[in-house]
Amino acid sequence: MPTIRVAEPADIAQMVPLLLADARRRAQRDPGLWHLTADPSAALQADLTAGLGDRTPIRRRWLLAEAAGALVGIAHSIQLPVPPIYAGAFGPPGLVMEASCVAETAPPDTGAALLAAAEADLTASGSQILLAASTPGDAWEEVFSASGYAPITRYMARSGLRAAPG
């Protein structure tokens, strides 16, 4: 079982390669939907630097799973900012983002351990409703299902749209 801890700015250099490998797998699976920027490593570095520095208007958290001294997984969660009319007594919902990943070398229960840690962190920060994002066939879909998550909506995506030739 891996150990889980909150990511710090000093962890960014280790996080980027794992997140980049996951992004490349997604891009190979569906390049139209998961198109990578010209310099995805720099984009990840910038996003993590901003997010771990608490310079964003929403609460973001990255949790790291480590085993045998190596980073083997990352869970990314946020508290969704919702209009006050919708927050009600439940406050901001917590969302485990699809940009979570587990290394191929990770112990078998790494995804479940990261999800449990993200849930505990989100509920401790006030979220009473927890959501998770995944796409069909993604490894996280199985982790979420095994933890009792069920689809509540069916967002559909369309990719490959291009401007009409002039």
Side-chain angles (χ1 to χ4, degrees), residues 7-55:
E8 299 176 6
D11 297 311
I12 292 173
Q14 288 182 298
M15 295 168 68
V16 168
L18 186 57
L19 290 166
L20 186 56
D22 184 63
R24 286 186 172 135
R25 277 191 295 274
R26 290 172 197 262
Q28 281 183 326
R29 191 170 64 227
D30 189 341
L33 183 60
W34 300 106
H35 181 75
L36 297 178
T37 65
D39 189 353
S41 183
L44 279 169
Q45 178 104 15
D47 184 54
L48 290 168
T49 299
L52 290 173
D54 290 329
R55 289 179 277 183

Side-chain angles (χ1 to χ4, degrees), residues 17-136:
L18 186 57
L19 290 166
L20 186 56
D22 184 63
R24 286 186 172 135
R25 277 191 295 274
R26 290 172 197 262
Q28 281 183 326
R29 191 170 64 227
D30 189 341
L33 183 60
W34 300 106
H35 181 75
L36 297 178
T37 65
D39 189 353
S41 183
L44 279 169
Q45 178 104 15
D47 184 54
L48 290 168
T49 299
L52 290 173
D54 290 329
R55 289 179 277 183
T56 60
I58 60 173
R59 183 188 186 277
R60 300 168 69 179
R61 182 69 52 105
W62 282 266
L63 298 173
L64 306 182
E66 296 173 318
L71 179 62
V72 294
I74 301 170
H76 180 203
S77 65
I78 66 171
Q79 279 187 312
L80 291 170
V82 294
I85 192 169
Y86 297 117
F90 298 110
L95 173 64
V96 180
M97 302 289 288
E98 190 168 15
S100 300
C101 60
V102 173
E104 293 177 11
T105 58
D109 292 335
T110 300
L114 279 166
L115 178 57
E119 290 173 334
D121 177 65
L122 287 166
T123 56
S125 69
S127 291
Q128 296 180 41
I129 297 172
L130 299 179
L131 306 168
S134 72
T135 53

Side-chain angles (χ1 to χ4, degrees), residues 114-159:
L114 279 166
L115 178 57
E119 290 173 334
D121 177 65
L122 287 166
T123 56
S125 69
S127 291
Q128 296 180 41
I129 297 172
L130 299 179
L131 306 168
S134 72
T135 53
D138 186 71
W140 282 94
E141 181 181 35
E142 185 177 316
V143 173
F144 295 139
S145 293
S147 295
Y149 286 76
I152 59 169
T153 186
R154 187 171 183 173
Y155 278 94
M156 300 179 84
R158 182 172 175 202
S159 61

